Amino acid sequence: MRTISAGSIVVGVTGRGREAPALRFAVDVARREGARVALVHVTRNPLPSVPAALVDRVEAAEVAERILADVAEEAEELARGDVAVDTFSRRGVPAEVLVGLSGAARLVVVQHRTSGALERLVVGSTSHGAAAHSACPVVSVPGDWRPDPRAAEVVVGVHEGGVPRQVLEAGFAWAAATGSLLRVVHAWRLDAAYDDIISNRVAAEWRAEQKERLVATVAEVRGAWPEVEVEVEVRHQWPADVLVDDSRNASLVVIGRRGVHGWVPEHLGSLARTVMRAARCPVMVVPVVERSGEPRDWALVADEVSPQT
């Protein structure tokens, strides 16, 4: 069985024209970084029911090859000879297959659709499962996304003090590569019963303190990317609402993920799931490795600060 080339941009595909936004995103990144695009089509293991049981392995393999040939042609039209395109056919669960390939990949790109409840459930399980377990960053692209030259910001959502640092670094690197403004955002809000009492007492003081800490962290990271223009914000609002709202003027939203237990997509966290579902631009989910000195409970903040699911 062939393996993908190291540093490839992996894209999950199901048919020509079905993942055009994700394909366009992947080709643009590959062109910019000199990487290969790896198109991956996964045939699910047939279920013991009709009509899946009526399709044998040979027929499924033939269909998969036709799909990959069609999508490869689509990708090559987008690439215009600037990007090498590889194709891979696999059997299994799509999210698990993509995660299995992520160890050698630069990015895994998936597309989510919002046309129907069942389709949202199926596609959501793939994008969320991949994002929750991938060894490399996963970019989820909305099915109706189109590049907008006016959307010239990269938005990064961070916790107190600018952690996790890897998310901030990923945002800086992307902003530098694309010549974008970097908007670093920390947002917070408590449940209503506590918010009215506590925020009235300490909101202004706390916001000033948090912004000072965030600015200091940004200054430390910025040394590697001095050319990037940066804006720092601390906002008293639900984090998911802030990131979704900012996505309307962004080319990419960057958030972090850490801590998984078994193969359960829901362990991605409510904030990440909400942003992936509702953002108007691509969302990058960065796997985070704990570093000494960073709070151990920052992932809990992502799950608990925003009650949206």
Side-chain angles (χ1 to χ4, degrees), residues 158-206:
V158 295
H159 298 285
E160 294 183 23
V163 300
R165 186 72 68 94
Q166 288 123 305
V167 176
L168 197 55
E169 291 168 349
F172 263 102
W174 199 273
T178 59
S180 303
L181 167 75
L182 181 66
R183 185 176 302 280
V184 181
V185 181
H186 172 62
W188 68 283
R189 186 167 179 171
L190 304 175
D191 287 335
Y194 303 94
D195 196 71
D196 292 342
I197 298 172
I198 297 175
S199 64
N200 286 339
R201 294 179 187 169
V202 302
E205 179 182 348
W206 188 89

Side-chain angles (χ1 to χ4, degrees), residues 112-114 120 127-128 140 142 244 270-280 283 308-309:
H112 66 268
R113 302 180 179 87
T114 56
R120 282 199 301 271
S127 58
H128 291 170
S140 181
V244 170
S270 61
L271 183 142
R273 295 197 309 273
T274 300
V275 175
M276 287 175 67
R277 181 178 66 240
R280 302 307 304 159
V283 176
Q308 303 169 62
T309 57

Side-chain angles (χ1 to χ4, degrees), residues 42-61 90-93:
V42 182
T43 303
R44 288 181 176 271
N45 290 321
L47 301 175
S49 62
V50 175
L54 299 180
V55 180
D56 64 29
R57 285 178 174 266
V58 174
E59 291 173 320
R90 296 287 190 270
R91 294 182 65 85
V93 177

Side-chain angles (χ1 to χ4, degrees), residues 98-118:
L98 293 174
V99 168
L101 296 172
S102 68
R106 160 72 176 93
L107 287 176
V108 171
V109 181
V110 292
Q111 182 171 304
H112 66 268
R113 302 180 179 87
T114 56
S115 57
L118 179 59

